[in-house]
Amino acid sequence: MTHLLDPVRKAADASPERPSRTPAARTARRKALLHWIAVHSLGIAAALFFVLPFVFVVLTSLMSDQQALTRDLTPNTWEWGNYERVFNTPGFLTWWRNTLLYAGLGTVLTVVSSIPVAYALAKFRFRGRKLSLMLVISMMMLPPQVVIIPMYLFWAKQMDLSGTLWPLIIPMAFGDAFSIFLLRQFLLTIPNEYLDAAKVDGCGEFRTLMKVVLPMARPGIAAIALFQFFAAWNDYFGPQIYASENPAAWTLSYGLESFKGAHHTDWNLTMAATVLVMAPVIAVFFFAQKAFVEGVTLTGVKG
């Protein structure tokens, strides 16, 4: 029996060593492991860099008035009533209502007015098309502070809308340069064959836009909607210019500054108000992040 196994043993001894046991394979495996550890360590460090300030704000918002001024990092007693105290602050719910009106209505107007312009710049061929695109890009480069004085004189003196948010909302009905450009870049990724097929079936331009383009452009529309919503929700400059003289028209961003001034020693209440201002934005992005990331990613596929 032994002599029958000799050829097998000799063949096994003569066979080369398995690739997984060679020094080169072990070195490659070790490098891959070190690379994995390095990448994930950097990812964890970056995540902590962004998350820890928010954790600090939340923990401080749940401290008592006395503990908020100490070096303690965690609450001794969890003061959930701080959020109720903030909600009961005179004017806080009014700031919420104004901010929802400004951000919500402004986002709807921006999306509705930007879609036709972006569609025309992406899919129509007409004289002056490149010039129109250059004008849109130039408007993106124009700082709002440059035109704030003539715009304020127009809305406050001519239209008598000072002390309201309408000077900020009404212009959104005429499109936004950044939203138009971003959506135009996304619409370029939609093949023209889909549009031609719809027109062959008897669809006009409006029906083609509504039935073919808009369903395919949902990620791009979601991206510009979120960008506009975040910009309006966090806007401090606009409400300060137009609504500062009327507390009934203040938004959360501007009202929070007044709240901080009135409670400059009550850091727990200031942090609780900050959490309440940030929470809707974080929730919106959490539920819409997939469409948002997809829309932003696909806008750079074509030029």
Side-chain angles (χ1 to χ4, degrees), residues 113-132:
S113 59
S114 299
I115 288 176
V117 182
Y119 177 63
L121 291 176
K123 299 301 181 182
F124 287 2
R125 298 294 180 266
F126 56 91
R127 183 177 299 179
R129 176 170 169 265
K130 292 184 178 180
L131 177 61
S132 300

Side-chain angles (χ1 to χ4, degrees), residues 38-302:
V39 170
H40 285 74
S41 299
L42 290 175
I44 293 173
L48 292 176
F49 179 79
F50 288 102
V51 171
L52 286 180
F54 180 74
V55 173
F56 172 78
V57 170
V58 173
L59 292 178
T60 305
S61 69
L62 295 173
M63 293 181 180
S64 62
D65 296 341
Q66 295 75 20
Q67 188 186 2
L69 299 176
T70 64
R71 296 183 179 180
D72 295 340
L73 296 178
T74 58
N76 295 330
T77 57
W78 298 84
E79 302 289 341
W80 295 100
N82 291 339
Y83 292 97
E84 183 179 356
R85 293 169 62 185
V86 171
F87 262 113
N88 293 332
T89 301
F92 192 81
L93 292 180
T94 301
W95 303 342
W96 260 84
R97 184 179 65 250
N98 295 336
T99 305
L100 288 174
L101 174 66
Y102 177 28
L105 183 58
T107 299
V108 172
L109 292 176
T110 298
V111 172
V112 172
S113 59
S114 299
I115 288 176
V117 182
Y119 177 63
L121 291 176
K123 299 301 181 182
F124 287 2
R125 298 294 180 266
F126 56 91
R127 183 177 299 179
R129 176 170 169 265
K130 292 184 178 180
L131 177 61
S132 300
L133 181 60
M134 291 178 60
L135 290 175
V136 171
I137 296 176
S138 64
M139 290 299 297
M140 292 171 53
M141 300 178 181
L142 185 66
Q145 291 80 3
V146 174
V147 297
I148 191 61
I149 294 178
M151 292 296 294
Y152 178 80
L153 293 176
F154 172 77
W155 290 110
K157 304 301 181 182
Q158 302 298 325
M159 304 301 294
D160 195 24
L161 290 176
S162 179
T164 68
L165 294 174
W166 292 112
L168 301 173
I169 298 175
I170 294 176
M172 296 183 185
F174 300 94
D176 174 70
F178 177 75
S179 300
I180 292 172
F181 177 77
L182 190 69
L183 188 57
R184 181 253 181 191
Q185 294 300 106
F186 185 89
L187 293 180
L188 288 176
T189 64
I190 299 178
N192 293 329
E193 288 75 9
Y194 290 102
L195 281 66
D196 296 336
K199 293 175 182 178
V200 169
D201 291 339
C203 294
E205 293 293 348
F206 180 76
R207 191 175 178 185
T208 301
L209 173 63
M210 298 299 295
K211 298 295 184 179
V212 179
V213 177
L214 292 187
M216 300 180 68
R218 288 176 184 172
I221 296 174
I224 66 171
L226 287 177
F227 272 125
Q228 185 59 45
F229 183 84
F230 294 159
W233 187 274
N234 297 320
D235 186 19
Y236 177 84
F237 181 73
Q240 182 188 31
I241 296 297
Y242 293 105
S244 59
E245 62 189 54
N246 181 17
W250 287 0
T251 59
L252 283 171
S253 57
Y254 189 75
L256 184 61
E257 180 67 23
S258 173
F259 185 92
K260 185 176 70 175
H263 300 81
H264 60 278
T265 58
D266 300 327
W267 283 106
N268 55 336
L269 298 183
T270 301
M271 295 301 180
T274 303
V275 171
L276 292 176
V277 173
M278 294 189 302
V281 177
I282 296 175
V284 169
F285 182 78
F286 178 79
F287 288 106
Q289 61 178 325
K290 181 178 180 180
F292 175 76
V293 173
E294 183 180 355
V296 174
T297 303
L298 295 178
T299 51
V301 175
K302 289 187 178 182

